[in-house]
Amino acid sequence: MQASNASPLPIGAASPGTEPVADVQKEVDVLFEQWAEEESHVDLADLRWTDIFVFGLFWLLFAVVFLQFYTRYVLNDSLGWTEEIARYLLIGVTFFGSVTAMRKGSHISVEALLIYLPPEARHWTLVVVDGLVALFCGAMAWYAYVLGALAPGYMVSIDIPKGYMYWAVAAALAGITAHAAMRFVRRLRRREAAVTHGLVLD
Amino acid sequence: MLVTVMIVALLVMIVLGVPIAVALAGSSLLFLVLGNLTGEFTTPVITVIHRMVNGVDSFPLLAVPFFIMAGNLMNSAGITKQIYDFAVAAVGWLKGGLGHVNVAGSVIFAGMSGTAVADAGGLGTIEIKAMRDHGYDTRFAVGLTAASSTIGPIIPPSLPLVIYGVVANASINALFVAGIVPGLIMALFLSGAVVLYAHRNGVGRDASFHLGRLGWAFLNAFLPLLTPAIIIGGMSFGLFTPTEAAVFACAYALLLSVVIHRGFNLILSARGHKPRYSVLSMRQFVRVTMDTLETTAVVLLIVAGASIFGWVLTTTRTTDALGEWIITYASDPITFLILVNVFLLIVGCFMETIAAITILTPVLLPVALKLQIDPVHFGLIMVLNLMIGLLTPPVGMVLYVLARVAKISFEDCVKACAPWLIPLLLVLLLITFVPETVLWLPRTLKELGYL
């Protein structure tokens, strides 16, 4: 093993007492400091102001679920409406979050075939793919709108027609369609990198 | 006939690179449109969106965003450090020290995070760098980190198990508890492999053992260590639903990184020390939220798509037909499980975990039930199989993450991970053919009246 005393950085020692332990701990401290340093440079360039909506929706969901947790364990009397509202908010987060995901092209897909295709064939395959996605999302937005108009009844815990929820989904799907369509146009003009959708994990 | 068209359409779309959620819902849409045109199947077309929305409209699924966020928060907030320090003090003095630290750290992290990728991309970064800086072979470090990150979704909480539980209509609490023993067996096997490696390559210790130091590291890590204790304990004894445990984990991580760590730092600086607890910044908070949101939306949209697809398969009785077809080849549980394992290992090479679970569970589970295989047992087999798939090319999320983290080529990463498939496959064999490894703990807890 290398003796790496090459790091004389003055670190708030996590070693116990004054015991001089010639071991890995110091290296680890340095590594974590570097990591914290890297983590503190946060790149938010991929976000848009429109993301504020879904950001709020997410923390509202958190608040509602936490409220349920709190009322059940601390006050011993859980609020009945929290569960239903939380489920609707989750639907909202899924579909409005998908707008962000579509804008960034991060819906998971399989790349298996594409990497073996010559560039031109790959381009046209992706044209077809993005066209199909945009068409499909548009159709779904329309169906969600129709469903909202047909859906009978009110939500259980609050006096809001259930149809409104489907209309919210329709609005989200319209947003997804808009981004899918833009992606399709960019693809046609060859302004989009020749890769499929995929989640970039960080 | 129409169903065949639908399945072919699905496969063609997936191979072309259509996002999986769209491929699932799109092929179902095609089925309904054609069905209405030919008069063969006259359910209205808007069923597609109705089923998609209903597929996400479920209380257990609420656990998904919060378990994803818990892992992200732990990483961003530097809570990972205390855990790692504790692992160093606890097992760093063994031969092949940092290798054991790698496994132990992953086990503890697994008790707070629900995905393998959060483990590999967060704690894994440090695990690899620490091993490399300390003179370990990079390949050994990368392979071990990849293998140990797959413990994440086996030990509760677990994102794939939540999805499986929702699709299979199985108790998620039981699934979570069932994962504890297999997860520890995995850790044991991986540590065994480290011992073998250390013995063959003459690797020594990386730290000396001091009881005082261990105690100090434990105290330092006590607050973070409470998280897995409360999550796993609470769910095992039926106090928490998974959703509540997930929200608790997030709220607690936020409390630690925003309030408590800030307080510790104040105390340290008041006494003239350098503040060394990391605090979550506003920008990090936004980043973590948006990453969580994106992953949640991507995962749940697949669940929504699989929900309409599964509905079509069930209402047209296709699952029954497929099940009968499978049973003609595998009429006893052993043959069936062998076939399922081989099949899932192949699928795992090409398909992402959540998609594979949502598509395949409605087809395979009824057969398993007919052969009297416990749904909890089957779920664990399925998830472990697909976790192994995370380490195999061409589609292996962990491989991609680690290749980038360790700055090595994808091919090198594949080669580094290959030997580590052996211990994982051995564990898979063990939990497949000794169901007690999985079922003993939930059964015992059930008999004792918990769960």
Side-chain angles (χ1 to χ4, degrees), chain A residues 42 44 47 55, chain B residues 281-291:
Chain A
V42 184
L44 299 178
L47 303 183
F55 184 91
Chain B
S281 71
M282 192 62 204
R283 288 174 75 84
Q284 281 177 319
F285 175 73
V286 173
R287 181 78 268 164
V288 167
T289 309
M290 290 314 291
D291 286 349

Side-chain angles (χ1 to χ4, degrees), chain A residues 46-109:
Chain A
D46 58 320
L47 303 183
R48 298 287 174 274
W49 286 110
T50 42
D51 289 329
I52 289 178
F53 178 68
V54 70
F55 184 91
L57 213 56
F58 180 84
W59 283 103
L60 190 63
L61 171 64
F62 182 89
V64 169
V65 180
F66 188 78
L67 189 66
Q68 189 194 30
F69 174 79
Y70 182 80
T71 50
R72 195 174 135 194
Y73 285 96
V74 184
L75 306 181
N76 269 324
D77 176 27
S78 72
L79 288 172
W81 55 268
T82 48
E83 191 201 310
E84 194 195 9
I85 301 301
R87 284 190 281 113
Y88 293 145
L89 285 170
L90 183 68
I91 295 171
V93 166
T94 305
F95 284 92
F96 283 99
S98 291
V99 180
T100 307
M102 181 58 78
R103 187 186 72 224
K104 294 174 63 182
S106 51
H107 283 290
I108 293 172
S109 62

Side-chain angles (χ1 to χ4, degrees), chain A residues 1-2 10 12 14 16 19 21 23-25 27-29 31-33 35 38-40 42-44 46-47 51 54-55 58-59 61-62 65-66 68-69 72-73 83 86-88 90-91 93-95 97-98 101 104 106-110 113-114 125 129 133 136 140 143-144 146-147 150 165-166 169 173 196-197 199 201-202, chain B residues 14-20 22 25-26 29 45-46 48-50 52-53 56-59 61-62 65-66 69 75-76 80-81 84-85 88 98 117 122 126 129-130 133-134 136 206-208 210 213 216 239-240 243-244 247-248 250-251 254 274 276 283-287 289-290 292-294 297-298 300-301 350 352 397 404:
Chain A
M1 300 291 101
Q2 290 174 356
E19 198 95 50
V21 198
D23 62 21
V24 71
Q25 187 64 57
E27 291 168 33
V28 170
D29 286 345
L31 282 177
F32 272 100
E33 276 204 355
W35 190 27
E38 278 165 32
E39 282 282 315
S40 65
V42 184
D43 183 14
L44 299 178
D46 58 320
L47 303 183
D51 289 329
V54 70
F55 184 91
F58 180 84
W59 283 103
L61 171 64
F62 182 89
V65 180
F66 188 78
Q68 189 194 30
F69 174 79
R72 195 174 135 194
Y73 285 96
E83 191 201 310
R87 284 190 281 113
Y88 293 145
L90 183 68
I91 295 171
V93 166
T94 305
F95 284 92
S98 291
K104 294 174 63 182
S106 51
H107 283 290
I108 293 172
S109 62
V110 175
L113 171 76
L114 244 28
T125 312
V129 167
V133 171
F136 169 81
M140 292 319 269
Y143 291 138
V146 174
L147 184 62
L150 291 176
M165 187 193 66
Y166 292 109
V169 170
L173 281 163
T196 51
H197 296 248
L199 192 60
L201 297 145
D202 252 317
Chain B
I14 287 181
V15 171
L16 282 183
V18 175
I20 288 172
V22 175
L29 180 66
V45 179
I46 52 170
V48 177
I49 188 68
H50 188 225
M52 279 181 83
V53 172
V56 196
D57 187 2
S58 116
F59 189 70
L61 280 183
L62 277 168
F66 302 120
M69 190 163 82
N75 280 327
S76 276
T80 320
K81 179 175 192 318
Y84 194 80
D85 285 350
V88 168
L98 283 183
V117 173
I126 294 293
K129 278 186 188 159
D133 287 2
H134 215 62
Y136 284 85
D206 294 318
S208 43
H210 294 283
R213 173 182 169 170
W216 199 89
L239 296 173
F240 286 173
T243 306
E244 287 163 347
V247 162
F248 169 81
C250 286
L254 278 175
K274 197 177 169 226
R276 61 185 158 78
R283 288 174 75 84
Q284 281 177 319
F285 175 73
V286 173
R287 181 78 268 164
T289 309
M290 290 314 291
T292 304
L293 250 169
E294 213 180 312
V298 167
L300 290 186
L301 203 66
F350 295 98
E352 193 272 336
M397 286 288 187
R404 206 185 56 225

Side-chain angles (χ1 to χ4, degrees), chain B residues 23-223:
Chain B
L24 283 164
S27 54
S28 315
L29 180 66
L30 180 73
F31 170 83
L32 285 177
V33 168
L34 289 179
N36 276 303
L37 281 180
T38 57
E40 232 178 276
F41 197 85
T42 50
T43 310
V45 179
I46 52 170
T47 313
V48 177
I49 188 68
H50 188 225
R51 279 279 134 199
M52 279 181 83
V53 172
N54 273 7
V56 196
D57 187 2
S58 116
F59 189 70
L61 280 183
L62 277 168
V64 170
F66 302 120
F67 278 140
I68 294 175
M69 190 163 82
N72 287 347
L73 267 179
M74 299 285 168
N75 280 327
S76 276
I79 293 173
T80 320
K81 179 175 192 318
Q82 277 112 299
I83 297 167
Y84 194 80
D85 285 350
F86 173 64
V88 168
V91 291
W93 50 276
L94 292 168
K95 284 192 175 154
L98 283 183
H100 296 290
V101 171
N102 195 324
V103 177
S106 293
V107 168
I108 303 174
F109 194 76
M112 319 184 187
S113 132
T115 62
V117 173
D119 185 340
L123 186 56
T125 321
I126 294 293
E127 289 170 342
I128 291 175
K129 278 186 188 159
M131 286 177 81
R132 191 149 58 178
D133 287 2
H134 215 62
Y136 284 85
D137 181 26
T138 304
R139 279 192 179 185
F140 175 70
V142 170
L144 177 58
T145 306
S148 70
S149 73
T150 60
I151 299 176
I154 304 294
I155 288 189
S158 159
L159 179 60
L161 284 176
V162 171
I163 304 289
Y164 172 84
V166 170
V167 178
N169 215 352
S171 154
I172 295 170
N173 279 47
L175 282 165
F176 275 9
V177 172
I180 297 174
V181 176
L184 294 177
I185 295 177
M186 284 167 85
L188 214 64
F189 273 54
L190 292 178
S191 277
V194 173
V195 169
L196 274 181
Y197 177 87
H199 185 72
R200 276 182 42 193
N201 295 284
V203 181
R205 306 148 192 261
D206 294 318
S208 43
F209 181 76
H210 294 283
L211 197 61
R213 173 182 169 170
L214 179 60
W216 199 89
F218 177 74
L219 275 185
N220 196 29
F222 182 73
L223 289 177

